[in-house]
């Protein structure tokens, strides 16, 4: 069997970004984290078996356990039946090895599952890593049962505008600016939840540097850029979650 390649070239960078976001989130922001937002939608749908495509270290799994209000994992669905069982799938075991529930190494472009087996399929900040997100969306749709819920979330190119003078995120094939249209092209009708809110406050130059490093900017360049930013700086986070029913 041909094993998929390791897709995350910088798992440590990802973990650093997650920590930094948590540490510097504004007081009202933690409950607004994207995995929490999506988990609450899954709980509302009563999804039982959930595939987390590009699960990373399992942020969705933790959020689902909380949203289904019966931690620790596995949680229960609102009708009391076992629910919220998150199966993680990732191309990079360096991250997925930290996933708290069942996890497989696999490729979003060729999911190792039969048709129609999942109640929900989720891809948070995953499709932006792919050259052909629509092909991965067709795969996600294939493994969903009829009536199953799909959720994707991604960041906008216009994210963190306060840093625009020193940094812009690299464009991807699945930025928030086009994500809705791409998901609708595969699933038809969609439900959209956009955010455009001051969510993170970086207290000093070091935090700005780390924020940039966590987003793939080489250390030296990030340090030079950080010197040009007035701190503390509050960052406006912009992105979108797109939901669809199969
Ligand atoms: C930015 S991380 C997001 C992780 C997690 N969804 C979260 O929100 O915390 C992107 C994840 O997608 C995974 N990934 C990228 N391309 C993939 C592919 N083709 N198949 C499976 N996983 C992939 C990466 O390894 C990484 O763990």
């Amino acid at each position: 069997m041909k094993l998929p390649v390791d897709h995350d070239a910088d798992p440590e960078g990802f973990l650093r970004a997650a920590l930094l976001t948590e540490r510097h989130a504004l007081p009202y922001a933690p409950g607004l984290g994207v995995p929490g937002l999506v988990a609450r939608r899954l709980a509302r749908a009563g999804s039982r078996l959930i595939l987390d495509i590009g699960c990373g270290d399992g942020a969705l799994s933790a959020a689902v356990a909380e949203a289904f209000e019966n931690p620790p994992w596995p949680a229960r669905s609102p009708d009391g039946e076992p629910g919220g069982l998150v199966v993680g799938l990732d191309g990079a075991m360096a991250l997925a090895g930290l996933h708290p529930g069942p996890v497989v190494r696999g490729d979003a472009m060729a999911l190792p599952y039969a048709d129609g087996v999942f109640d929900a399929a989720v891809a948070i900040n995953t499709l932006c890593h792919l050259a052909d997100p629509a092909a991965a969306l067709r795969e996600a749709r294939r493994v969903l049962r009829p009536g199953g819920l799909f959720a994707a979330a991604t960041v906008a190119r216009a994210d963190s505008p306060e840093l625009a003078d020193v940094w812009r995120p690299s464009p991807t094939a699945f930025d928030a600016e086009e994500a809705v249209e791409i998901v609708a092209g595969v699933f038809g009708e969609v439900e959209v939840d956009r955010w455009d809110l001051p969510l993170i406050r970086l207290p000093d130059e070091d935090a700005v540097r780390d924020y940039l490093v966590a987003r793939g900017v080489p250390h030296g360049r990030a340090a030079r850029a950080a010197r040009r930013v007035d701190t503390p700086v509050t960052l406006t986070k912009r992105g979108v979650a797109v939901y669809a029913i199969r």
Side-chain angles (χ1 to χ4, degrees), residues 1 13 15 19 24 35 87-88 95 102 104 110 120-121 130 207 214 221 236 238:
M1 183 188 128
L15 291 175
L19 262 180
H24 299 303
V87 176
L95 281 178
V104 297
L130 308 178
R221 183 136 53 93
T236 304
R238 292 176 174 158

Side-chain angles (χ1 to χ4, degrees), residues 41-50 68 77-78 83-85 119-120 149:
R41 181 67 183 84
L42 294 167
R44 248 194 355 263
S47 306
R48 299 208 167 111
L49 189 59
I50 301 161
F68 279 69
S77 64
L85 173 60
D119 297 310
L149 176 66

Side-chain angles (χ1 to χ4, degrees), residues 4-9 14 18 34-35 52-60 89-93 95-96 106-109 111 122-130:
V5 292
D6 224 332
H7 291 278
D8 198 320
F14 168 76
V34 180
D52 185 9
I53 302 164
C55 62
D57 62 339
L60 181 71
L89 176 136
D90 205 288
M93 280 323 276
L95 281 178
D107 190 349
M109 303 299 290
L111 297 173
V122 175
I124 299 178
N125 294 333
T126 297
L127 300 176
C128 54
H129 288 261
L130 308 178

